[in-house]
């Protein structure tokens, strides 16, 4: 039995190998297709990308035809080079350079010679194409934008780089793919699937028909259409309000986490990154290191949040039971928190939670923060408890939204202060500026908006996201998962009452009321510093505002940040009120606020970096 085992294994293995060889050589034609490449021409058929709609079904991104001239270097024979160059409006040097690059890629495979011809250029070349052997036309689709807004949301289409082609065999030279925004995030869904046709050629290189009667041919499959959560009318309005300003607006539907508007300013018309001028226009945008139009301030810019962080300070103080609604602190235009240390404030007299919020009292929240930290024997433990609560609102972390860029911001922990104070000895008095958003805390506008969504929901939020629906696809379940903060629900009600009083009880936003809408909000003014010629210089304050509306069953939470915009109610506050009215009513009644914002050109503030003129300090 043992003697027969080895010969049996050898015989069975040999039979299996023979069967496999027979299948590959006789039955399966795919290897033959590959080996016969010299006699077969591969033609790709490019599908249209999926269309993009806003949350109301309005088409915002469609397609338009484009034509690429492809070259197969081996087939280029006996052509009038100068005539071709004149026809395509290129130089002889351009011709030689492009052809050399195509040869280095592959002498026998087609690659792009001249991309994105318009209809007129295509018609002129097609008329004389027969004279230029080795040159073919491939039809593609480019984006056709139905709006001038949302460039940071959509991203753009560009040619696949050599690095991408090396990593992903789907892409060939000249192929287009999404870059930035939803075009990048949902590339595999939007791009569709290329079709492939195999054409057989004789020994004279003439086309003699489909290979194997089209047995291996495939048809192109159009990309999937998708619906975004964006309200394009609100997005367009937000970009209009931010004209001649820098900053960001983020609006979220609190009960779903759907992003209603994601504005960055300055921005640009997405249409300028389509067609032959795309590369030139992109270079201009990229090289603008002053206004940075390619920098998405709503997602990437980190700022000291200023007074909106008092909302978190108050909630944590309530949760840790170091205060209640009646706890009172005195304010004398500020308070002395350590020998020789004074935190300034514009208020005076006794403050409790409600009027601490409505009047934005620094003294009140400075005391709350210090009591929270001092509750613990070790300040490090107090900071870590405070940090844990703050992080439960999505602060200090990547948000997890479905766009390819983001920043963590910063919520400091004891580790932060061990780095700052390596010899120890720090205590609550050294870090009290965190109470009013002027310490080590940094937030992005989308984090501020999400924080307000959690407050409006009385303790929970959904991960912000921009995709609403894709046909035949399930939306990632993480966008349907509720995140609960570490603050008990009962503590949100008194804070919300204070935020309502900001608008309605002589608070810091009382001049920004919208008739018929109960808005809860918080003004913010963040001190702003930068190094200019090596000197730390105080610049004009950032204007910040956060809000949600209506007070009951809120439909929108919003954060607005205007760089160098002075105090919160001067620029960011009016913009937030107008955005809320636009979304909930569809019309604007506060024409006075709208005119004020349209007329307020902050370019003179930004020019001070160069002109050397003094910046406005403390809202002046």
């Amino acid at each position: 039995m043992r003697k027969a085992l080895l010969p049996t294994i050898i015989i069975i293995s040999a039979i299996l190998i023979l069967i496999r060889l027979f299948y590959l050589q006789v039955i399966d034609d795919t290897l033959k297709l590959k080996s016969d490449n010299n006699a077969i021409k591969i033609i790709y058929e490019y599908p249209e990308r999926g269309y993009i709609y806003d949350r109301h079904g309005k088409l915002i991104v469609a397609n338009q035809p484009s034509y690429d001239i492809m070259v197969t270097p081996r087939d280029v024979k006996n052509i009038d080079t100068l005539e071709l160059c004149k026809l395509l409006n290129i130089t002889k040097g351009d011709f030689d350079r492009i052809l050399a690059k195509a040869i280095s890629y592959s002498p026998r495979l087609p690659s792009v010679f001249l991309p994105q011809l318009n209809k007129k250029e295509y018609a002129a070349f097609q008329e004389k194409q027969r004279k230029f052997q080795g040159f073919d036309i491939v039809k593609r689709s480019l984006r056709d934008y139905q709006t001038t807004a949302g460039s940071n949301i959509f991203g753009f289409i560009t040619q696949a780089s050599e690095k991408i082609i090396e990593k992903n065999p789907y892409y060939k030279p000249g192929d287009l793919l999404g870059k930035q925004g939803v075009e990048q995030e949902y590339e595999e869904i939007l791009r569709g699937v290329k079709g492939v046709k195999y054409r057989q050629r004789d020994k004279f290189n003439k086309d003699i028909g489909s290979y194997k009667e089209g047995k291996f041919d495939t048809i192109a499959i159009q990309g999937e259409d998708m619906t975004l959560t964006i309200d394009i009318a609100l997005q367009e309005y937000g970009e209009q309000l931010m004209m001649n300003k820098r900053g960001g607006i983020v609006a979220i539907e609190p009960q779903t986490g759907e992003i209603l508007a994601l504005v960055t300013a300055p921005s640009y018309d997405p249409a300028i990154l389509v067609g032959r001028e795309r590369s030139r226009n992109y270079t201009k945008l990229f090289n603008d290191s002053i206004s940075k139009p390619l920098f998405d301030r709503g997602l990437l810019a980190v700022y000291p949040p200023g007074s909106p962080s008092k909302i978190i300070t108050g909630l944590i103080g309530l949760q840790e039971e170091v205060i209640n609604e009646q706890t009172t602190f005195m304010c004398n235009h500020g308070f002395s928190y350590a020998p020789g240390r004074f935190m300034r404030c514009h208020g005076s007299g006794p403050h409790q939670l409600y009027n601490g919020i409505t009047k934005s009292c620094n003294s009140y929240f400075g005391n709350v923060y210090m009591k929270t930290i001092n509750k613990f024997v070790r300040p490090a433990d107090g900071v870590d408890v405070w940090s844990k609560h703050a992080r439960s609102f999505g602060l200090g972390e990547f948000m997890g939204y479905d766009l390819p860029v983001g920043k963590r911001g910063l919520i400091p922990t004891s580790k932060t202060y061990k780095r700052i104070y390596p010899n120890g000895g720090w205590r609550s008095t050294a870090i009290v500026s965190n109470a009013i958003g002027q310490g080590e805390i940094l937030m992005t506008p989308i984090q501020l908006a999400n924080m307000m969504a959690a407050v409006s929901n009385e303790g929970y939020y959904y991960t912000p996201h921009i995709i609403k629906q894709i046909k035949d696809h399930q939306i990632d379940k993480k966008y349907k998962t509720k995140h609960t903060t570490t603050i008990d629900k009962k503590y949100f009600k008194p804070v919300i009452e204070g935020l309502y009083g900001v608008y309605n009880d002589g608070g810091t936003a009382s001049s920004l009321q919208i008739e018929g809408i109960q808005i809860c909000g918080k003004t913010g003014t963040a001190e702003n510093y930068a190094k200019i010629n090596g000197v730390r210089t105080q610049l004009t304050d950032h204007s910040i505002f956060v809000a949600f509306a209506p007070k009951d069953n809120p439909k929108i939470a919003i954060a607005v940040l205007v760089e160098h915009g002075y105090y919160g109610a001067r620029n960011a506050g009016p913009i937030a009120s107008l955005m809320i009215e636009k979304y909930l009513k569809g019309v604007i009644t506060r024409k006075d606020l709208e005119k004020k914002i349209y007329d307020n050109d902050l370019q003179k503030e930004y020019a001070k970096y160069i002109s050397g003129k003094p910046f406005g300090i403390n809202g002046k």
Side-chain angles (χ1 to χ4, degrees):
M1 186 71 180
R2 291 181 180 177
K3 292 181 179 180
L5 181 60
L6 183 58
T8 302
I9 293 174
I10 294 173
I11 292 170
I12 292 173
S13 299
I15 292 172
L16 290 174
I17 292 171
L18 289 172
I19 292 173
R20 181 61 178 165
L21 287 172
F22 177 80
Y23 173 78
L24 292 174
Q25 294 180 15
V26 179
I27 299 176
D28 186 5
D29 284 336
T30 57
L31 285 182
K32 188 174 188 295
L33 177 62
K34 293 175 183 177
S35 66
D36 285 351
N37 241 339
N38 289 339
I40 297 172
K41 184 176 182 179
I42 301 174
I43 300 174
Y44 291 104
E45 182 181 348
Y46 292 89
E48 282 196 78
R49 289 181 77 85
Y51 283 46
I52 299 176
Y53 299 83
D54 89 332
R55 66 185 297 107
H56 302 298
K58 183 176 180 180
L59 179 64
I60 48 180
V61 184
N63 297 307
Q64 57 181 307
S66 174
Y67 306 90
D68 289 354
I69 296 180
M70 310 292 289
V71 62
T72 305
R74 189 186 64 176
D75 298 342
V76 177
K77 298 173 181 176
N78 303 320
I79 68 168
D80 188 335
T81 304
L82 294 179
E83 183 182 2
L84 179 62
C85 290
K86 184 178 180 181
L87 181 64
L88 300 179
N89 195 26
I90 62 174
T91 67
K92 180 63 165 57
D94 291 332
F95 177 92
D96 294 337
R97 175 179 53 80
I98 299 170
L99 188 61
K101 185 177 179 180
I103 292 171
S104 67
Y105 165 67
S106 173
R108 59 185 178 80
L109 295 178
S111 58
V112 174
F113 183 82
L114 195 63
Q116 301 178 11
L117 275 66
N118 57 36
K119 290 182 179 180
K120 184 177 179 181
E121 293 169 328
Y122 161 68
F125 178 79
Q126 188 183 42
E127 185 179 346
K128 298 184 177 182
Q129 182 180 351
R130 66 187 184 281
K131 299 172 65 176
F132 305 114
Q133 187 177 347
F135 290 86
D136 299 293
I137 294 176
V138 171
K139 182 180 178 181
R140 303 182 195 267
S141 63
L142 299 180
R143 283 314 204 183
D144 184 15
Y145 296 99
Q146 312 300 300
T147 176
T148 59
S151 57
N152 61 312
I153 297 170
F154 307 138
F156 55 90
I157 307 301
T158 186
Q159 284 193 22
S161 66
E162 292 181 5
K163 185 178 292 186
I164 290 173
I165 293 169
E166 289 175 5
K167 289 175 61 177
N168 190 335
Y170 175 86
Y171 297 103
K172 309 297 179 186
D175 281 7
L176 304 177
L177 80 167
K179 188 77 170 176
Q180 299 180 9
V182 295
E183 296 282 16
Q184 177 177 325
E185 189 73 16
Y186 292 98
E187 162 68 9
E188 293 188 8
I189 292 172
L190 286 168
R191 76 185 182 194
V193 180
K194 285 184 292 190
V196 184
K197 288 183 170 58
Y198 298 96
R199 305 292 297 179
Q200 195 163 8
R201 299 183 293 186
D202 63 15
K203 63 181 180 180
F204 301 108
N205 203 34
K206 291 183 179 179
D207 188 309
I208 57 174
S210 295
Y211 177 75
K212 293 286 185 179
E213 298 180 344
K215 176 181 178 181
F216 298 103
D217 293 355
T218 60
I219 61 172
I221 301 174
Q222 182 172 346
E224 300 278 1
D225 296 345
M226 63 171 49
T227 300
L228 302 184
T229 62
I230 294 295
D231 182 319
I232 194 60
L234 186 67
Q235 177 76 23
E236 290 170 345
Y237 188 55
E239 293 194 17
Q240 290 170 18
L241 294 173
M242 290 296 288
M243 286 290 290
N244 297 313
K245 303 172 186 68
R246 296 178 190 169
I249 305 173
V250 181
I252 295 173
E253 184 178 67
Q255 295 175 6
T256 63
E258 294 179 354
I259 299 173
L260 303 172
L262 180 60
V263 175
T264 181
S267 189
Y268 59 91
D269 184 343
I272 70 172
L273 295 186
V274 176
R276 296 279 292 279
E277 296 298 312
R278 187 204 68 81
S279 180
R280 183 179 302 173
N281 289 334
Y282 180 82
T283 299
K284 289 181 181 178
L285 295 172
F286 182 82
N287 289 333
D288 186 350
S289 59
I290 297 176
S291 56
K292 300 179 181 178
L294 292 175
F295 182 67
D296 192 331
R297 286 169 164 86
L299 304 178
L300 289 172
V302 290
Y303 306 94
S307 292
S309 65
K310 293 174 181 175
I311 299 169
I312 298 296
T313 300
L315 287 169
I316 295 174
L318 292 169
Q319 181 67 36
E320 290 300 316
E321 299 181 338
V322 298
I323 60 165
N324 57 40
E325 293 177 55
Q326 287 73 44
T327 302
T328 304
F329 297 104
M330 292 298 297
C331 177
N332 185 22
H333 299 293
F335 83 109
S336 178
Y337 59 91
R341 299 294 183 90
F342 189 79
M343 178 179 284
R344 292 180 301 166
C345 184
H346 51 258
S348 63
H351 284 76
Q352 297 177 336
L353 179 64
Y354 178 79
N355 68 330
I357 295 174
T358 61
K359 303 298 184 182
S360 196
C361 180
N362 290 345
S363 299
Y364 177 84
F365 288 100
N367 276 289
V368 172
Y369 181 81
M370 289 178 64
K371 285 179 72 71
T372 302
I373 304 303
N374 294 339
K375 173 184 175 181
F376 300 87
V377 175
R378 292 182 347 119
D381 295 335
V383 167
D384 287 339
V385 167
W386 176 86
S387 176
K388 179 182 177 182
H389 287 308
R391 288 173 183 270
S392 73
F393 286 79
L395 305 174
E397 303 289 349
F398 288 117
M399 298 297 295
Y401 46 71
D402 51 343
L403 286 167
V405 297
K407 284 289 183 69
R408 286 180 180 273
L410 176 62
I411 295 296
T413 65
S414 60
K415 291 182 179 179
T416 307
Y417 295 110
K418 285 177 182 177
R419 289 193 298 269
I420 297 174
Y421 303 98
N423 297 324
W426 61 274
R427 59 191 67 186
S428 62
T429 54
I431 59 174
V432 68
S433 292
N434 287 332
I436 60 173
Q438 288 291 170
E440 284 66 51
I441 304 176
L442 294 171
M443 299 182 194
T444 60
I446 194 171
Q447 289 175 331
L448 280 166
N450 187 67
M451 179 189 80
M452 288 307 283
V455 172
S456 73
N457 289 333
E458 298 183 4
Y460 71 88
Y461 68 91
Y462 292 94
T463 299
H465 54 283
I466 206 127
I467 195 69
K468 188 173 181 67
Q469 181 180 349
I470 307 174
K471 186 179 179 181
D472 299 328
H473 287 268
Q474 292 291 325
I475 302 303
D476 195 319
K477 64 181 181 180
K478 74 177 182 179
Y479 302 126
K480 306 290 185 182
T481 303
K482 182 185 290 188
H483 302 278
T484 305
T485 71
T486 56
I487 307 298
D488 294 342
K489 182 177 180 179
K490 63 182 179 181
Y491 294 125
F492 285 90
K493 294 187 183 300
V495 171
I496 290 173
E497 288 300 325
L499 296 173
Y500 181 67
V502 169
Y503 265 92
N504 299 280
D505 192 12
T508 54
S510 57
S511 64
L512 306 178
Q513 295 178 19
I514 302 295
E515 185 176 353
I517 303 177
Q518 293 186 323
I519 306 177
C520 300
K522 184 72 193 74
T523 51
T525 305
E527 291 183 356
N528 178 24
Y529 294 87
K531 276 193 174 183
I532 299 179
N533 297 323
V535 179
R536 186 174 187 264
T537 305
Q538 185 169 5
L539 314 179
T540 307
D541 295 339
H542 293 323
S543 177
I544 305 172
F545 200 88
V546 295
F548 63 84
K551 178 186 175 188
D552 300 316
N553 192 25
K555 298 293 192 298
I556 180 173
I558 190 167
V560 180
L561 191 144
V562 180
E563 295 181 5
H564 302 2
Y566 295 87
Y567 53 91
R570 180 161 166 173
N571 280 292
I575 290 172
S577 293
L578 291 166
M579 290 285 284
I580 288 171
E581 184 174 33
K582 177 72 172 178
Y583 184 67
L584 295 181
K585 288 185 174 181
V587 295
I588 299 299
T589 60
R590 288 297 306 267
K591 293 293 184 181
D592 58 321
L593 288 183
E594 187 178 61
K595 183 178 187 305
K596 173 185 175 183
I597 294 302
Y598 282 152
D599 291 345
N600 195 7
D601 185 340
L602 291 178
Q603 294 299 330
K604 58 184 180 296
E605 283 293 331
Y606 309 134
K608 290 177 181 178
Y609 283 99
I610 300 172
S611 68
K613 291 183 179 180
F615 291 92
I617 307 298
N618 299 326
K620 296 180 181 178

